[in-house]
Amino acid sequence: MKFELDKSLLEFLLGDREVMRLARVLISIDLFFVMVHGIKYAFKQDFIDLFGYWIYRNLTITNDWSLPEITNYLKFVVIIYLLCRVYAVIRQPVYLAWAFVFTVALLDDSLQIHEGMGAYISNMPGEFVLFGTELQSDRGLRVQDIGELIMFAIYGSVFSLVLGIGFLRSQLQHRKIGVGFGLLLGSLAFFAVVVDVIDRVAGSYSRTLAQVVATIEDSGEMFVVSLTVAFAFIVYRRHGPNAEQA
């Protein structure tokens, strides 16, 4: 089945049965984790008594290095591998650029880099001032939160440079595929940045509300990464070492 440039991202995914099967499997796994996460919070003590705290902690989608998070890390690894394989075959820099972006995303997510930067800024002696304004807020954001947003801004600048070079040096067909990855990254950024900020603000009003928003944030990230795996897989099938013939 030939890749056609005028297809939307959704049509592109829906047009391949194997990819749709893969997407359904990945989304089903994500939904299972989200469902278990909800049950755990609804029946917390009963769940701990029945399965133990270790199982409780490692099935929590909002905990770093829990089973759902590790699954997400592995999905990032698959995306990076597929993009590198495609680049090795067709030598279009846009795929190498996206491999770099997703590698940074994986490292940041697994090593909590932006959280660490936020903690570093919040622990600086004295008041942290940016452009003459003291970094404090009465709207639920902490200095650490603003530090994290600064780190995201740095990521955005670096990504823009790397992707700009990759797009300029690639053919039109592959630029359009790159735009598909951009839409997915934008969706991921929405949950990782925007919803995360809402989570921090919600935490100053209600712990329950904060837990709900945090669940939306992490489950949204899981779903987007699963769709990105499916998209990377279909690109690999079209342009990888065993590419389908038109």
Side-chain angles (χ1 to χ4, degrees), residues 22 65 90 97 115 144 164 175 189 197 244:
L22 172 63
W65 289 97
I90 60 177
E115 291 93 341
Q144 176 169 343
R175 293 181 191 175
V197 170
E244 297 177 353

Side-chain angles (χ1 to χ4, degrees), residues 1-7 9 12 86 90-95 98 166-181 231 234-240 243-246:
M1 183 170 61
K2 185 177 181 180
F3 173 74
E4 299 182 19
L5 297 178
D6 59 346
K7 284 188 175 182
L9 176 59
F12 189 33
V86 171
I90 60 177
R91 296 293 175 178
Q92 292 295 310
V94 65
Y95 298 111
W98 277 116
F167 271 76
L168 287 173
R169 295 179 175 273
S170 298
Q171 297 172 357
L172 177 61
Q173 176 184 8
H174 301 287
R175 293 181 191 175
K176 291 191 174 185
I177 295 174
V179 170
F181 284 108
F231 188 58
I234 198 172
V235 172
Y236 174 81
R237 297 211 318 142
R238 300 296 187 274
H239 301 291
E244 297 177 353
Q245 299 299 319

Side-chain angles (χ1 to χ4, degrees), residues 192-203:
V193 181
V194 178
V195 180
D196 182 61
V197 170
I198 296 173
D199 173 30
R200 303 299 173 84
V201 175

Side-chain angles (χ1 to χ4, degrees), residues 126-159:
E127 301 296 341
F128 192 85
V129 177
L130 182 66
F131 302 129
T133 303
E134 183 180 314
L135 291 187
Q136 288 186 349
S137 173
D138 57 357
R139 301 182 186 275
L141 288 177
R142 304 162 298 171
V143 173
Q144 176 169 343
D145 302 327
I146 301 175
E148 292 178 16
L149 291 176
I150 292 173
M151 193 64 199
F152 281 126
I154 294 173
Y155 283 152
S157 300
V158 175
F159 291 167

